Amino acid sequence: MTFPTLEHLRTLPLKQQPSYPDQGKVDQVVERLRSRPPLVFAGECDDLREKLAKVAAGEAFLLQGGDCAETFDGVTAENVKNKLTVLLAMSVVLTYAAQVPVVKVGRIAGQYAKPRSSDTETRNGVSLPSYRGDAVNGFDFTAAARVPDPERLLDVYNASAATLNLTRAFMTGGFADLRRVHNWNRNFVAGGAMARFEKLADEIDQALRFMVACGIDGDQMKTVDFFASHEALLLDYEHAMTRIDSRTQQPYDTSGHLVWIGERTRDLNGAHVELLSSVRNPVGIKLGPKVTPEDVLGLVEKIDPEQEPGRLTLITRMGAGKVREALPPVIEAVEQTGRKVVWVCDPMHGNTFTAKNGYKTRSFSDVVEEVNGWFDVHDDLGTWPGGVHIELTGDDVTECVGGSGGLIEQDLESRYETVCDPRLNRDQSLELAFTVAERLTDGRINRHNPVQAFVPAEL
Ligand code: PEP
Ligand code: CO
């Protein structure tokens, strides 16, 4: 695997990069990042690739989720803990209700840069550069805040390091212990899905007590494998964070375990595809409704020439109304190459609309509709629905309408906190997990996968 220089990458078609006022400062920051310790380790990326190979083989399910855009202010113990808690709870729903091993990956510890459809934002006749994430510029609508500042890349490194440190502590230090499943939601008001979760937690408690009584040691319940992922958008940062692993002599992007290429930057001959085809991390690619089978074939051959299971995660985000039509030709084209990829449904990005009061939102029913369409397509084609990719938060925000809490457009005004796309709140996220678990359980009757059928009563 040869690793391209940053100079070479900059000669390729390159989209969605900040226009920094001073290139000299960018180069200095890149040099400083190059000497920083890796945030994740090569062996961990290999471990995730092997786990994703199991997903590709239909033996596990991927849960990937987190903020659309993390913020530096959001790096607090409370915020990180709430996000991890909802992901853990969703994964427990999937593992227990659908009896599928779940590979857990956060959109976390690095998701600070955003592609934008327009270079400028206009408010009341004033136009300023668009906010491109805390990695690039400030969210405040002032000329000073919106100037891209390369020093922010060092802040991304520090914020990611702090978040990962906390995440590792939560996942291995006892908090994630399944025997504490009841404690996870202790401070939360029980909503619709939360009540359902509490019931499931009771069942898990009982099952665990039974196991302990049988003399089965709970060591495996104590810790959880959790991985970090983000969109590899800023070439300077991702290139600067790449290290040659001393054991394998292969390049790894050590900014996160899984890195993905967004819908707007997946040009076959572009710099993003070149960079990610040159690192050993598992790689994700977002695919929107207009993608052609030829586009996808070009990408999979370039990024995964060895047809290595676990290397590629194809994250489709077609929209509720389009998934049934747009997805089958894409799956068929990839299947015909003989490789096994992880098929993931992102039911968020194809379903965004502007509410009458001006808020960018998504409807929970559209999200569910896309998930259902995606499951139906996989069931028709006999392929394994590998996982879901969700924008969510552990907090009680009001950013997406619908769900059992019955949020309406007016509610968007009360707790709309995202700096980018609208996220499912805690209750909506859990509700979605139950829906996905049901589909996994139902489909098992028709699907020939190695996961054994077991449906707990009333789930
Ligand atoms: C995102 O995941 O936040 C995003 C911008 O997605 P996409 O590239 O699919 O539009
Ligand atoms: Co988003």
mmCIF file with all atom_site columns, all heavy atoms in Angstrom, residues 71 73 121 123 126-134 136-147 152 419:
data_model
loop_
_atom_site.group_PDB
_atom_site.id
_atom_site.type_symbol
_atom_site.label_atom_id
_atom_site.label_alt_id
_atom_site.label_comp_id
_atom_site.label_asym_id
_atom_site.label_entity_id
_atom_site.label_seq_id
_atom_site.pdbx_PDB_ins_code
_atom_site.Cartn_x
_atom_site.Cartn_y
_atom_site.Cartn_z
_atom_site.occupancy
_atom_site.B_iso_or_equiv
_atom_site.pdbx_formal_charge
_atom_site.auth_seq_id
_atom_site.auth_comp_id
_atom_site.auth_asym_id
_atom_site.auth_atom_id
_atom_site.pdbx_PDB_model_num
ATOM 1   N N   . THR A 1 71  ? -19.360 19.306 18.667 1.00 0.00 ? 71  THR A N   1
ATOM 2   C CA  . THR A 1 71  ? -18.832 20.658 18.891 1.00 0.00 ? 71  THR A CA  1
ATOM 3   C C   . THR A 1 71  ? -17.825 20.605 20.036 1.00 0.00 ? 71  THR A C   1
ATOM 4   O O   . THR A 1 71  ? -17.882 19.692 20.876 1.00 0.00 ? 71  THR A O   1
ATOM 5   C CB  . THR A 1 71  ? -19.963 21.636 19.285 1.00 0.00 ? 71  THR A CB  1
ATOM 6   O OG1 . THR A 1 71  ? -20.557 21.162 20.502 1.00 0.00 ? 71  THR A OG1 1
ATOM 7   C CG2 . THR A 1 71  ? -21.022 21.747 18.205 1.00 0.00 ? 71  THR A CG2 1
ATOM 8   N N   . ASP A 1 73  ? -17.698 22.654 22.498 1.00 0.00 ? 73  ASP A N   1
ATOM 9   C CA  . ASP A 1 73  ? -18.449 22.876 23.743 1.00 0.00 ? 73  ASP A CA  1
ATOM 10  C C   . ASP A 1 73  ? -19.144 21.599 24.213 1.00 0.00 ? 73  ASP A C   1
ATOM 11  O O   . ASP A 1 73  ? -19.475 21.451 25.389 1.00 0.00 ? 73  ASP A O   1
ATOM 12  C CB  . ASP A 1 73  ? -19.539 23.948 23.540 1.00 0.00 ? 73  ASP A CB  1
ATOM 13  C CG  . ASP A 1 73  ? -18.927 25.339 23.495 1.00 0.00 ? 73  ASP A CG  1
ATOM 14  O OD1 . ASP A 1 73  ? -17.736 25.475 23.829 1.00 0.00 ? 73  ASP A OD1 1
ATOM 15  O OD2 . ASP A 1 73  ? -19.645 26.283 23.095 1.00 0.00 ? 73  ASP A OD2 1
ATOM 16  N N   . GLU A 1 121 ? -23.669 31.585 3.611  1.00 0.00 ? 121 GLU A N   1
ATOM 17  C CA  . GLU A 1 121 ? -24.980 31.586 4.269  1.00 0.00 ? 121 GLU A CA  1
ATOM 18  C C   . GLU A 1 121 ? -25.450 33.046 4.307  1.00 0.00 ? 121 GLU A C   1
ATOM 19  O O   . GLU A 1 121 ? -24.660 33.937 4.644  1.00 0.00 ? 121 GLU A O   1
ATOM 20  C CB  . GLU A 1 121 ? -24.814 31.049 5.696  1.00 0.00 ? 121 GLU A CB  1
ATOM 21  C CG  . GLU A 1 121 ? -26.117 31.000 6.461  1.00 0.00 ? 121 GLU A CG  1
ATOM 22  C CD  . GLU A 1 121 ? -25.927 30.553 7.917  1.00 0.00 ? 121 GLU A CD  1
ATOM 23  O OE1 . GLU A 1 121 ? -24.862 30.032 8.268  1.00 0.00 ? 121 GLU A OE1 1
ATOM 24  O OE2 . GLU A 1 121 ? -26.880 30.789 8.684  1.00 0.00 ? 121 GLU A OE2 1
ATOM 25  N N   . ARG A 1 123 ? -28.198 35.796 5.833  1.00 0.00 ? 123 ARG A N   1
ATOM 26  C CA  . ARG A 1 123 ? -29.266 36.102 6.801  1.00 0.00 ? 123 ARG A CA  1
ATOM 27  C C   . ARG A 1 123 ? -29.556 37.593 6.714  1.00 0.00 ? 123 ARG A C   1
ATOM 28  O O   . ARG A 1 123 ? -28.627 38.399 6.827  1.00 0.00 ? 123 ARG A O   1
ATOM 29  C CB  . ARG A 1 123 ? -28.818 35.798 8.231  1.00 0.00 ? 123 ARG A CB  1
ATOM 30  C CG  . ARG A 1 123 ? -28.696 34.332 8.537  1.00 0.00 ? 123 ARG A CG  1
ATOM 31  C CD  . ARG A 1 123 ? -28.513 34.133 10.033 1.00 0.00 ? 123 ARG A CD  1
ATOM 32  N NE  . ARG A 1 123 ? -27.848 32.860 10.301 1.00 0.00 ? 123 ARG A NE  1
ATOM 33  C CZ  . ARG A 1 123 ? -27.413 32.476 11.483 1.00 0.00 ? 123 ARG A CZ  1
ATOM 34  N NH1 . ARG A 1 123 ? -27.566 33.266 12.534 1.00 0.00 ? 123 ARG A NH1 1
ATOM 35  N NH2 . ARG A 1 123 ? -26.822 31.308 11.653 1.00 0.00 ? 123 ARG A NH2 1
ATOM 36  N N   . VAL A 1 126 ? -27.321 39.681 4.696  1.00 0.00 ? 126 VAL A N   1
ATOM 37  C CA  . VAL A 1 126 ? -25.872 39.607 4.955  1.00 0.00 ? 126 VAL A CA  1
ATOM 38  C C   . VAL A 1 126 ? -25.377 38.212 4.590  1.00 0.00 ? 126 VAL A C   1
ATOM 39  O O   . VAL A 1 126 ? -25.938 37.208 5.048  1.00 0.00 ? 126 VAL A O   1
ATOM 40  C CB  . VAL A 1 126 ? -25.566 39.871 6.449  1.00 0.00 ? 126 VAL A CB  1
ATOM 41  C CG1 . VAL A 1 126 ? -24.059 39.812 6.719  1.00 0.00 ? 126 VAL A CG1 1
ATOM 42  C CG2 . VAL A 1 126 ? -26.143 41.208 6.873  1.00 0.00 ? 126 VAL A CG2 1
ATOM 43  N N   . SER A 1 127 ? -24.323 38.141 3.753  1.00 0.00 ? 127 SER A N   1
ATOM 44  C CA  . SER A 1 127 ? -23.765 36.842 3.365  1.00 0.00 ? 127 SER A CA  1
ATOM 45  C C   . SER A 1 127 ? -22.388 36.644 3.997  1.00 0.00 ? 127 SER A C   1
ATOM 46  O O   . SER A 1 127 ? -21.533 37.529 3.920  1.00 0.00 ? 127 SER A O   1
ATOM 47  C CB  . SER A 1 127 ? -23.621 36.750 1.845  1.00 0.00 ? 127 SER A CB  1
ATOM 48  O OG  . SER A 1 127 ? -24.890 36.640 1.269  1.00 0.00 ? 127 SER A OG  1
ATOM 49  N N   . LEU A 1 128 ? -22.207 35.478 4.621  1.00 0.00 ? 128 LEU A N   1
ATOM 50  C CA  . LEU A 1 128 ? -20.922 35.125 5.249  1.00 0.00 ? 128 LEU A CA  1
ATOM 51  C C   . LEU A 1 128 ? -20.560 33.708 4.824  1.00 0.00 ? 128 LEU A C   1
ATOM 52  O O   . LEU A 1 128 ? -21.422 32.945 4.382  1.00 0.00 ? 128 LEU A O   1
ATOM 53  C CB  . LEU A 1 128 ? -21.052 35.174 6.778  1.00 0.00 ? 128 LEU A CB  1
ATOM 54  C CG  . LEU A 1 128 ? -21.275 36.536 7.429  1.00 0.00 ? 128 LEU A CG  1
ATOM 55  C CD1 . LEU A 1 128 ? -21.485 36.372 8.931  1.00 0.00 ? 128 LEU A CD1 1
ATOM 56  C CD2 . LEU A 1 128 ? -20.075 37.458 7.172  1.00 0.00 ? 128 LEU A CD2 1
ATOM 57  N N   . PRO A 1 129 ? -19.277 33.324 4.989  1.00 0.00 ? 129 PRO A N   1
ATOM 58  C CA  . PRO A 1 129 ? -18.928 31.933 4.686  1.00 0.00 ? 129 PRO A CA  1
ATOM 59  C C   . PRO A 1 129 ? -19.765 30.980 5.541  1.00 0.00 ? 129 PRO A C   1
ATOM 60  O O   . PRO A 1 129 ? -20.052 31.285 6.708  1.00 0.00 ? 129 PRO A O   1
ATOM 61  C CB  . PRO A 1 129 ? -17.445 31.845 5.086  1.00 0.00 ? 129 PRO A CB  1
ATOM 62  C CG  . PRO A 1 129 ? -16.946 33.256 5.075  1.00 0.00 ? 129 PRO A CG  1
ATOM 63  C CD  . PRO A 1 129 ? -18.123 34.124 5.421  1.00 0.00 ? 129 PRO A CD  1
ATOM 64  N N   . SER A 1 130 ? -20.156 29.852 4.973  1.00 0.00 ? 130 SER A N   1
ATOM 65  C CA  . SER A 1 130 ? -20.951 28.870 5.729  1.00 0.00 ? 130 SER A CA  1
ATOM 66  C C   . SER A 1 130 ? -20.127 28.320 6.889  1.00 0.00 ? 130 SER A C   1
ATOM 67  O O   . SER A 1 130 ? -18.900 28.235 6.808  1.00 0.00 ? 130 SER A O   1
ATOM 68  C CB  . SER A 1 130 ? -21.337 27.693 4.831  1.00 0.00 ? 130 SER A CB  1
ATOM 69  O OG  . SER A 1 130 ? -22.194 28.131 3.825  1.00 0.00 ? 130 SER A OG  1
ATOM 70  N N   . TYR A 1 131 ? -20.836 27.930 7.938  1.00 0.00 ? 131 TYR A N   1
ATOM 71  C CA  . TYR A 1 131 ? -20.208 27.191 9.046  1.00 0.00 ? 131 TYR A CA  1
ATOM 72  C C   . TYR A 1 131 ? -19.860 25.801 8.537  1.00 0.00 ? 131 TYR A C   1
ATOM 73  O O   . TYR A 1 131 ? -20.722 25.104 7.995  1.00 0.00 ? 131 TYR A O   1
ATOM 74  C CB  . TYR A 1 131 ? -21.205 27.121 10.201 1.00 0.00 ? 131 TYR A CB  1
ATOM 75  C CG  . TYR A 1 131 ? -20.819 26.192 11.326 1.00 0.00 ? 131 TYR A CG  1
ATOM 76  C CD1 . TYR A 1 131 ? -19.702 26.451 12.116 1.00 0.00 ? 131 TYR A CD1 1
ATOM 77  C CD2 . TYR A 1 131 ? -21.574 25.059 11.601 1.00 0.00 ? 131 TYR A CD2 1
ATOM 78  C CE1 . TYR A 1 131 ? -19.348 25.597 13.149 1.00 0.00 ? 131 TYR A CE1 1
ATOM 79  C CE2 . TYR A 1 131 ? -21.238 24.199 12.635 1.00 0.00 ? 131 TYR A CE2 1
ATOM 80  C CZ  . TYR A 1 131 ? -20.116 24.472 13.408 1.00 0.00 ? 131 TYR A CZ  1
ATOM 81  O OH  . TYR A 1 131 ? -19.776 23.624 14.435 1.00 0.00 ? 131 TYR A OH  1
ATOM 82  N N   . ARG A 1 132 ? -18.609 25.394 8.672  1.00 0.00 ? 132 ARG A N   1
ATOM 83  C CA  . ARG A 1 132 ? -18.177 24.087 8.169  1.00 0.00 ? 132 ARG A CA  1
ATOM 84  C C   . ARG A 1 132 ? -17.796 23.121 9.288  1.00 0.00 ? 132 ARG A C   1
ATOM 85  O O   . ARG A 1 132 ? -17.041 22.176 9.083  1.00 0.00 ? 132 ARG A O   1
ATOM 86  C CB  . ARG A 1 132 ? -16.997 24.251 7.205  1.00 0.00 ? 132 ARG A CB  1
ATOM 87  C CG  . ARG A 1 132 ? -17.387 24.885 5.906  1.00 0.00 ? 132 ARG A CG  1
ATOM 88  C CD  . ARG A 1 132 ? -16.244 25.020 4.919  1.00 0.00 ? 132 ARG A CD  1
ATOM 89  N NE  . ARG A 1 132 ? -16.782 25.490 3.667  1.00 0.00 ? 132 ARG A NE  1
ATOM 90  C CZ  . ARG A 1 132 ? -17.287 24.695 2.724  1.00 0.00 ? 132 ARG A CZ  1
ATOM 91  N NH1 . ARG A 1 132 ? -17.264 23.387 2.874  1.00 0.00 ? 132 ARG A NH1 1
ATOM 92  N NH2 . ARG A 1 132 ? -17.787 25.207 1.630  1.00 0.00 ? 132 ARG A NH2 1
ATOM 93  N N   . GLY A 1 133 ? -18.309 23.402 10.474 1.00 0.00 ? 133 GLY A N   1
ATOM 94  C CA  . GLY A 1 133 ? -17.973 22.544 11.604 1.00 0.00 ? 133 GLY A CA  1
ATOM 95  C C   . GLY A 1 133 ? -16.910 23.218 12.460 1.00 0.00 ? 133 GLY A C   1
ATOM 96  O O   . GLY A 1 133 ? -16.135 24.044 11.968 1.00 0.00 ? 133 GLY A O   1
ATOM 97  N N   . ASP A 1 134 ? -16.866 22.825 13.749 1.00 0.00 ? 134 ASP A N   1
ATOM 98  C CA  . ASP A 1 134 ? -15.893 23.436 14.662 1.00 0.00 ? 134 ASP A CA  1
ATOM 99  C C   . ASP A 1 134 ? -14.450 23.192 14.214 1.00 0.00 ? 134 ASP A C   1
ATOM 100 O O   . ASP A 1 134 ? -13.541 23.900 14.630 1.00 0.00 ? 134 ASP A O   1
ATOM 101 C CB  . ASP A 1 134 ? -16.092 22.901 16.090 1.00 0.00 ? 134 ASP A CB  1
ATOM 102 C CG  . ASP A 1 134 ? -17.194 23.650 16.834 1.00 0.00 ? 134 ASP A CG  1
ATOM 103 O OD1 . ASP A 1 134 ? -17.934 24.422 16.182 1.00 0.00 ? 134 ASP A OD1 1
ATOM 104 O OD2 . ASP A 1 134 ? -17.322 23.460 18.062 1.00 0.00 ? 134 ASP A OD2 1
ATOM 105 N N   . VAL A 1 136 ? -13.346 23.860 11.446 1.00 0.00 ? 136 VAL A N   1
ATOM 106 C CA  . VAL A 1 136 ? -12.974 24.854 10.432 1.00 0.00 ? 136 VAL A CA  1
ATOM 107 C C   . VAL A 1 136 ? -13.186 26.284 10.918 1.00 0.00 ? 136 VAL A C   1
ATOM 108 O O   . VAL A 1 136 ? -12.273 27.117 10.880 1.00 0.00 ? 136 VAL A O   1
ATOM 109 C CB  . VAL A 1 136 ? -13.776 24.615 9.134  1.00 0.00 ? 136 VAL A CB  1
ATOM 110 C CG1 . VAL A 1 136 ? -13.487 25.717 8.121  1.00 0.00 ? 136 VAL A CG1 1
ATOM 111 C CG2 . VAL A 1 136 ? -13.467 23.241 8.559  1.00 0.00 ? 136 VAL A CG2 1
ATOM 112 N N   . ASN A 1 137 ? -14.420 26.595 11.355 1.00 0.00 ? 137 ASN A N   1
ATOM 113 C CA  . ASN A 1 137 ? -14.732 27.972 11.752 1.00 0.00 ? 137 ASN A CA  1
ATOM 114 C C   . ASN A 1 137 ? -15.795 27.980 12.845 1.00 0.00 ? 137 ASN A C   1
ATOM 115 O O   . ASN A 1 137 ? -16.236 26.920 13.299 1.00 0.00 ? 137 ASN A O   1
ATOM 116 C CB  . ASN A 1 137 ? -15.136 28.822 10.531 1.00 0.00 ? 137 ASN A CB  1
ATOM 117 C CG  . ASN A 1 137 ? -16.289 28.207 9.734  1.00 0.00 ? 137 ASN A CG  1
ATOM 118 O OD1 . ASN A 1 137 ? -16.845 27.187 10.122 1.00 0.00 ? 137 ASN A OD1 1
ATOM 119 N ND2 . ASN A 1 137 ? -16.655 28.834 8.628  1.00 0.00 ? 137 ASN A ND2 1
ATOM 120 N N   . GLY A 1 138 ? -16.185 29.188 13.280 1.00 0.00 ? 138 GLY A N   1
ATOM 121 C CA  . GLY A 1 138 ? -17.136 29.288 14.381 1.00 0.00 ? 138 GLY A CA  1
ATOM 122 C C   . GLY A 1 138 ? -18.581 29.297 13.898 1.00 0.00 ? 138 GLY A C   1
ATOM 123 O O   . GLY A 1 138 ? -18.872 29.721 12.769 1.00 0.00 ? 138 GLY A O   1
ATOM 124 N N   . PHE A 1 139 ? -19.477 28.876 14.770 1.00 0.00 ? 139 PHE A N   1
ATOM 125 C CA  . PHE A 1 139 ? -20.898 28.783 14.421 1.00 0.00 ? 139 PHE A CA  1
ATOM 126 C C   . PHE A 1 139 ? -21.575 30.158 14.423 1.00 0.00 ? 139 PHE A C   1
ATOM 127 O O   . PHE A 1 139 ? -22.522 30.403 13.670 1.00 0.00 ? 139 PHE A O   1
ATOM 128 C CB  . PHE A 1 139 ? -21.592 27.857 15.433 1.00 0.00 ? 139 PHE A CB  1
ATOM 129 C CG  . PHE A 1 139 ? -23.033 27.592 15.146 1.00 0.00 ? 139 PHE A CG  1
ATOM 130 C CD1 . PHE A 1 139 ? -23.416 26.911 13.998 1.00 0.00 ? 139 PHE A CD1 1
ATOM 131 C CD2 . PHE A 1 139 ? -24.026 28.018 16.032 1.00 0.00 ? 139 PHE A CD2 1
ATOM 132 C CE1 . PHE A 1 139 ? -24.760 26.653 13.728 1.00 0.00 ? 139 PHE A CE1 1
ATOM 133 C CE2 . PHE A 1 139 ? -25.372 27.762 15.769 1.00 0.00 ? 139 PHE A CE2 1
ATOM 134 C CZ  . PHE A 1 139 ? -25.726 27.078 14.616 1.00 0.00 ? 139 PHE A CZ  1
ATOM 135 N N   . ASP A 1 140 ? -21.070 31.082 15.259 1.00 0.00 ? 140 ASP A N   1
ATOM 136 C CA  . ASP A 1 140 ? -21.698 32.415 15.354 1.00 0.00 ? 140 ASP A CA  1
ATOM 137 C C   . ASP A 1 140 ? -21.746 33.078 13.984 1.00 0.00 ? 140 ASP A C   1
ATOM 138 O O   . ASP A 1 140 ? -20.780 32.979 13.214 1.00 0.00 ? 140 ASP A O   1
ATOM 139 C CB  . ASP A 1 140 ? -20.891 33.328 16.286 1.00 0.00 ? 140 ASP A CB  1
ATOM 140 C CG  . ASP A 1 140 ? -21.074 32.922 17.727 1.00 0.00 ? 140 ASP A CG  1
ATOM 141 O OD1 . ASP A 1 140 ? -21.968 32.104 17.998 1.00 0.00 ? 140 ASP A OD1 1
ATOM 142 O OD2 . ASP A 1 140 ? -20.282 33.398 18.562 1.00 0.00 ? 140 ASP A OD2 1
ATOM 143 N N   . PHE A 1 141 ? -22.830 33.785 13.753 1.00 0.00 ? 141 PHE A N   1
ATOM 144 C CA  . PHE A 1 141 ? -22.980 34.433 12.436 1.00 0.00 ? 141 PHE A CA  1
ATOM 145 C C   . PHE A 1 141 ? -22.313 35.806 12.460 1.00 0.00 ? 141 PHE A C   1
ATOM 146 O O   . PHE A 1 141 ? -22.957 36.843 12.409 1.00 0.00 ? 141 PHE A O   1
ATOM 147 C CB  . PHE A 1 141 ? -24.465 34.518 12.064 1.00 0.00 ? 141 PHE A CB  1
ATOM 148 C CG  . PHE A 1 141 ? -24.689 34.861 10.626 1.00 0.00 ? 141 PHE A CG  1
ATOM 149 C CD1 . PHE A 1 141 ? -24.424 33.949 9.624  1.00 0.00 ? 141 PHE A CD1 1
ATOM 150 C CD2 . PHE A 1 141 ? -25.164 36.123 10.256 1.00 0.00 ? 141 PHE A CD2 1
ATOM 151 C CE1 . PHE A 1 141 ? -24.628 34.263 8.285  1.00 0.00 ? 141 PHE A CE1 1
ATOM 152 C CE2 . PHE A 1 141 ? -25.370 36.454 8.922  1.00 0.00 ? 141 PHE A CE2 1
ATOM 153 C CZ  . PHE A 1 141 ? -25.103 35.521 7.934  1.00 0.00 ? 141 PHE A CZ  1
ATOM 154 N N   . THR A 1 142 ? -20.983 35.801 12.578 1.00 0.00 ? 142 THR A N   1
ATOM 155 C CA  . THR A 1 142 ? -20.220 37.053 12.493 1.00 0.00 ? 142 THR A CA  1
ATOM 156 C C   . THR A 1 142 ? -19.064 36.801 11.525 1.00 0.00 ? 142 THR A C   1
ATOM 157 O O   . THR A 1 142 ? -18.607 35.657 11.384 1.00 0.00 ? 142 THR A O   1
ATOM 158 C CB  . THR A 1 142 ? -19.618 37.470 13.851 1.00 0.00 ? 142 THR A CB  1
ATOM 159 O OG1 . THR A 1 142 ? -18.647 36.480 14.236 1.00 0.00 ? 142 THR A OG1 1
ATOM 160 C CG2 . THR A 1 142 ? -20.669 37.612 14.928 1.00 0.00 ? 142 THR A CG2 1
ATOM 161 N N   . ALA A 1 143 ? -18.618 37.882 10.905 1.00 0.00 ? 143 ALA A N   1
ATOM 162 C CA  . ALA A 1 143 ? -17.548 37.738 9.908  1.00 0.00 ? 143 ALA A CA  1
ATOM 163 C C   . ALA A 1 143 ? -16.304 37.134 10.571 1.00 0.00 ? 143 ALA A C   1
ATOM 164 O O   . ALA A 1 143 ? -15.646 36.259 10.005 1.00 0.00 ? 143 ALA A O   1
ATOM 165 C CB  . ALA A 1 143 ? -17.221 39.102 9.297  1.00 0.00 ? 143 ALA A CB  1
ATOM 166 N N   . ALA A 1 144 ? -16.001 37.568 11.807 1.00 0.00 ? 144 ALA A N   1
ATOM 167 C CA  . ALA A 1 144 ? -14.784 37.082 12.476 1.00 0.00 ? 144 ALA A CA  1
ATOM 168 C C   . ALA A 1 144 ? -14.875 35.578 12.741 1.00 0.00 ? 144 ALA A C   1
ATOM 169 O O   . ALA A 1 144 ? -13.922 34.837 12.507 1.00 0.00 ? 144 ALA A O   1
ATOM 170 C CB  . ALA A 1 144 ? -14.585 37.846 13.775 1.00 0.00 ? 144 ALA A CB  1
ATOM 171 N N   . ALA A 1 145 ? -16.037 35.144 13.260 1.00 0.00 ? 145 ALA A N   1
ATOM 172 C CA  . ALA A 1 145 ? -16.171 33.720 13.611 1.00 0.00 ? 145 ALA A CA  1
ATOM 173 C C   . ALA A 1 145 ? -16.074 32.824 12.385 1.00 0.00 ? 145 ALA A C   1
ATOM 174 O O   . ALA A 1 145 ? -15.579 31.692 12.466 1.00 0.00 ? 145 ALA A O   1
ATOM 175 C CB  . ALA A 1 145 ? -17.505 33.481 14.316 1.00 0.00 ? 145 ALA A CB  1
ATOM 176 N N   . ARG A 1 146 ? -16.542 33.311 11.259 1.00 0.00 ? 146 ARG A N   1
ATOM 177 C CA  . ARG A 1 146 ? -16.645 32.438 10.092 1.00 0.00 ? 146 ARG A CA  1
ATOM 178 C C   . ARG A 1 146 ? -15.338 32.311 9.281  1.00 0.00 ? 146 ARG A C   1
ATOM 179 O O   . ARG A 1 146 ? -15.284 31.584 8.297  1.00 0.00 ? 146 ARG A O   1
ATOM 180 C CB  . ARG A 1 146 ? -17.782 32.917 9.185  1.00 0.00 ? 146 ARG A CB  1
ATOM 181 C CG  . ARG A 1 146 ? -19.185 32.721 9.797  1.00 0.00 ? 146 ARG A CG  1
ATOM 182 C CD  . ARG A 1 146 ? -19.532 31.239 9.935  1.00 0.00 ? 146 ARG A CD  1
ATOM 183 N NE  . ARG A 1 146 ? -20.741 31.006 10.705 1.00 0.00 ? 146 ARG A NE  1
ATOM 184 C CZ  . ARG A 1 146 ? -21.949 30.856 10.190 1.00 0.00 ? 146 ARG A CZ  1
ATOM 185 N NH1 . ARG A 1 146 ? -22.120 30.945 8.888  1.00 0.00 ? 146 ARG A NH1 1
ATOM 186 N NH2 . ARG A 1 146 ? -22.989 30.615 10.973 1.00 0.00 ? 146 ARG A NH2 1
ATOM 187 N N   . VAL A 1 147 ? -14.275 33.038 9.700  1.00 0.00 ? 147 VAL A N   1
ATOM 188 C CA  . VAL A 1 147 ? -12.996 32.886 8.980  1.00 0.00 ? 147 VAL A CA  1
ATOM 189 C C   . VAL A 1 147 ? -12.392 31.526 9.332  1.00 0.00 ? 147 VAL A C   1
ATOM 190 O O   . VAL A 1 147 ? -12.231 31.203 10.508 1.00 0.00 ? 147 VAL A O   1
ATOM 191 C CB  . VAL A 1 147 ? -11.992 33.998 9.380  1.00 0.00 ? 147 VAL A CB  1
ATOM 192 C CG1 . VAL A 1 147 ? -10.659 33.809 8.642  1.00 0.00 ? 147 VAL A CG1 1
ATOM 193 C CG2 . VAL A 1 147 ? -12.575 35.368 9.108  1.00 0.00 ? 147 VAL A CG2 1
ATOM 194 N N   . ARG A 1 152 ? -7.702  25.365 14.626 1.00 0.00 ? 152 ARG A N   1
ATOM 195 C CA  . ARG A 1 152 ? -8.818  24.543 15.093 1.00 0.00 ? 152 ARG A CA  1
ATOM 196 C C   . ARG A 1 152 ? -8.560  23.049 14.897 1.00 0.00 ? 152 ARG A C   1
ATOM 197 O O   . ARG A 1 152 ? -9.158  22.218 15.575 1.00 0.00 ? 152 ARG A O   1
ATOM 198 C CB  . ARG A 1 152 ? -10.111 24.945 14.368 1.00 0.00 ? 152 ARG A CB  1
ATOM 199 C CG  . ARG A 1 152 ? -10.702 26.243 14.886 1.00 0.00 ? 152 ARG A CG  1
ATOM 200 C CD  . ARG A 1 152 ? -11.891 26.681 14.044 1.00 0.00 ? 152 ARG A CD  1
ATOM 201 N NE  . ARG A 1 152 ? -12.611 27.767 14.697 1.00 0.00 ? 152 ARG A NE  1
ATOM 202 C CZ  . ARG A 1 152 ? -13.634 27.611 15.535 1.00 0.00 ? 152 ARG A CZ  1
ATOM 203 N NH1 . ARG A 1 152 ? -14.092 26.410 15.790 1.00 0.00 ? 152 ARG A NH1 1
ATOM 204 N NH2 . ARG A 1 152 ? -14.211 28.655 16.084 1.00 0.00 ? 152 ARG A NH2 1
ATOM 205 N N   . VAL A 1 419 ? -26.021 21.925 15.673 1.00 0.00 ? 419 VAL A N   1
ATOM 206 C CA  . VAL A 1 419 ? -25.416 22.970 14.849 1.00 0.00 ? 419 VAL A CA  1
ATOM 207 C C   . VAL A 1 419 ? -25.448 22.561 13.386 1.00 0.00 ? 419 VAL A C   1
ATOM 208 O O   . VAL A 1 419 ? -24.974 23.289 12.526 1.00 0.00 ? 419 VAL A O   1
ATOM 209 C CB  . VAL A 1 419 ? -23.956 23.273 15.264 1.00 0.00 ? 419 VAL A CB  1
ATOM 210 C CG1 . VAL A 1 419 ? -23.910 23.921 16.629 1.00 0.00 ? 419 VAL A CG1 1
ATOM 211 C CG2 . VAL A 1 419 ? -23.070 22.028 15.207 1.00 0.00 ? 419 VAL A CG2 1
#
